[in-house]
């Protein structure tokens, strides 16, 4: 079930109600936010963290979309942010019934949005909304957010928000604390052992979290038993496929098939056919001659300024060609593949499948998510490591991302170059990269004290990806990637052009010649690509496409 709760919020504008959307990751909060907020959106980091809070307006109300969480606590930055927003809130929307009950135990007025009703019906799952409303003691509104059903009804029901039925045993314990802590929500946090909230009130946190969680889980199980009916066994193909993805005997072949599909999509079709059209035919065949003729009528190409603008590494020639003819189609292809895997429900199953393997390098299966996102953009993958449970895990994952994982633009170039040298050498490249990953992860796992945390992750139903979702995610991610990348490509082109016209590029090639020619057996010009890679990794990878390399030199250059 997918729930949304509505409760009081941040006391920053006293004449406005604060509506706070809270829930597990990927439960539809953003759809409610987009539908309610209209055009006004402000995204900023929560003070003291890198966690983003999205803020908007709905009528005279202030609307906040919080990061996805599984509970209100202090286990990670997301939960701390969600906790602080909820503790001072007016309205909340979320997914897990356990989290719903936790907010009810806080005594916060609430409306529950029962989301994904359409998918539940398709799976044969029936939820008695009226019985659920009686059990929780708050209004319950069935919704199907992706189909725009029930969203207006939830907002219209906010004036009906009320405190629900708190767990009796937990309620008694909370009331005992109210003589020392004047806020019921914060009293519950102290009872559950939240040291941050306890510190605000100058009291010791109580060690009751495990007992309270067990009581709450028992209550939610009883509520589910009374209000939800499921088919005894489902024979649906997608349910069978979901189970097969989790079993190592079938999950590994499925993973290999998925990787092969991504290779065919990005490495063969996009990097071969599409890039052949965009880079060679359009950019090199039409754009570069045209822009050289236009700028060349004012500035001689052989001059210093001409070389910088329209020379071999020119800002208007090579840079634009790389950005639009090479990187743009490759990044689009990667994000299409990633969005399909996300929207199908496969990624959480992949995390579960590789959990045991990731434990060997000090991580858990959840770390596969930032690693996979790192294949799109290492910066995005690095930011996403905040979902991991400890600084130790974040350190290991960040090191792997920055030393081993190629971003989508690099990956597209890599796929394109490996497609030309054959499967055996491609496997050799993959083997070296995975060996580096294993060695780096193993060493860090040994030298950094601590151990990997247990995996806790939702497994959504397998589904056919929605074309609209895939296109929207692809366009948004590609836009932000290109927006962030283009300035660095311009800076790199300027830097390399300056080195070229001043003779610094030749000096650099001679300096590193013992490495490139003597040890790596690569052309001296490969060092230019390595210089580009210091500015931006995908810029350097793109530079390798200009070199005449033997099949083994391709593998060596790509590894470096």
């Amino acid at each position: 079930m997918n729930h949304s709760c509505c409760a009081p919020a941040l006391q920053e504008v006293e004449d406005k109600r604060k509506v706070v959307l809270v829930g597990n990751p990927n439960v539809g909060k953003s759809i409610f936010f987009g539908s309610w907020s209209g055009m006004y959106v402000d995204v900023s980091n929560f003070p003291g963290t890198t966690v983003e809070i999205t803020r908007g307006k709905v009528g005279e109300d202030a609307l906040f979309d919080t990061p996805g969480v599984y509970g209100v606590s202090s286990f990670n930055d997301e939960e701390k942010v969600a906790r602080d927003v909820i503790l001072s809130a007016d309205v909340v929307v979320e997914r897990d019934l356990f989290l719903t009950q936790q907010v009810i135990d806080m005594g916060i007025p609430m409306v529950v949005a029962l989301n994904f009703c359409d998918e539940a019906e398709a799976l044969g799952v029936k939820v008695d909304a009226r019985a659920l409303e009686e059990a929780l003691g708050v209004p319950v509104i069935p919704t199907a957010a992706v189909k725009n059903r029930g969203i207006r009804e939830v907002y219209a029901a906010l004036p009906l928000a009320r405190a629900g039925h708190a767990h009796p045993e937990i309620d008694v314990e909370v009331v005992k604390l109210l003589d020392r802590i004047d806020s019921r929500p914060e009293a519950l946090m102290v009872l559950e052992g939240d040291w941050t909230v306890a510190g605000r009130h100058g009291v010791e946190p109580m060690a009751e979290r495990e007992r309270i969680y067990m009581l709450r889980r028992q209550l939610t199980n009883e509520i589910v038993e009374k209000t939800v009916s499921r088919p005894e066994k489902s024979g649906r193909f997608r349910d069978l496929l979901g189970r097969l993805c989790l079993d190592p005997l079938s999950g590994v072949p499925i993973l290999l098939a998925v990787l092969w599909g991504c290779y065919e999509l990005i490495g063969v079709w996009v990097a071969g056919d599409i890039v052949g059209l965009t880079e060679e035919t359009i950019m090199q065949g039409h754009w570069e001659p045209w822009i050289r003729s236009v700028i060349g009528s004012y500035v001689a190409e052989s001059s210093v300024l001409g070389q910088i603008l329209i020379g071999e590494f020119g800002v208007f020639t090579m840079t634009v060609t790389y950005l639009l003819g090479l990187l743009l189609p490759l990044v689009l292809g990667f994000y299409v593949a990633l969005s399909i895997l996300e929207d199908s429900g496969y990624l959480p199953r992949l995390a579960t499948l590789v959990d045991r393997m990731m434990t060997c390098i000090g991580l858990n299966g959840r770390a596969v998510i930032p690693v996979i996102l790192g294949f799109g953009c290492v910066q995005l993958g690095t930011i996403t490591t905040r979902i991991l449970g400890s600084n130790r895990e974040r350190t290991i994952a960040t090191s792997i991302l920055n030393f081993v994982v190629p971003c989508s633009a690099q990956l597209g170039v890599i796929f394109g170059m490996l497609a030309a040298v054959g499967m055996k050498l491609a496997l050799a490249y993959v083997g070296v990269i995975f060996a580096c990953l294993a060695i780096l992860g193993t060493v860090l796992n040994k030298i950094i004290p601590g151990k990997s945390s247990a995996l806790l992750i939702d497994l959504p139903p397998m589904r056919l990806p929605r074309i609209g979702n895939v296109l929207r995610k692809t366009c948004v991610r590609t836009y932000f990637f290109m927006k962030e990348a283009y300035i660095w490509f311009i800076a790199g082109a300027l830097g390399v052009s300056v080195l070229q016209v001043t003779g610094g590029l030749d000096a650099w090639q001679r300096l590193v010649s013992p490495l490139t020619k003597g040890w790596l057996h690569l052309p001296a010009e490969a060092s230019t690509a390595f210089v580009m890679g210091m500015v931006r990794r995908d810029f350097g990878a793109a530079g390798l496409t200009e070199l005449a390399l033997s099949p083994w030199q391709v593998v060596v250059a790509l590894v470096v």
Side-chain angles (χ1 to χ4, degrees), residues 1 3 97 125-136 220-229:
M1 287 187 297
H3 299 90
L97 190 57
V125 177
K126 296 181 180 179
V127 182
D128 188 336
R130 186 175 296 275
L132 182 60
E133 183 170 309
E134 292 177 359
L136 296 175
T220 56
N221 288 343
E222 292 173 0
I223 294 174
V224 170
E225 197 69 30
K226 295 175 182 177
T227 61
V228 181
S229 60

Side-chain angles (χ1 to χ4, degrees), residues 486-498:
Y486 85 92
I487 190 66
W488 292 101
F489 270 70
I490 293 173
L494 285 172
V496 174
S497 294
V498 169

Side-chain angles (χ1 to χ4, degrees), residues 365-388:
R366 185 180 290 273
V368 79
I369 295 174
V371 168
I372 287 178
L373 291 177
F375 280 105
C377 172
V378 171
Q379 181 186 24
L380 175 62
T382 302
I383 292 172
T384 312
T385 59
R386 67 188 185 209
I387 70 172
L388 304 181

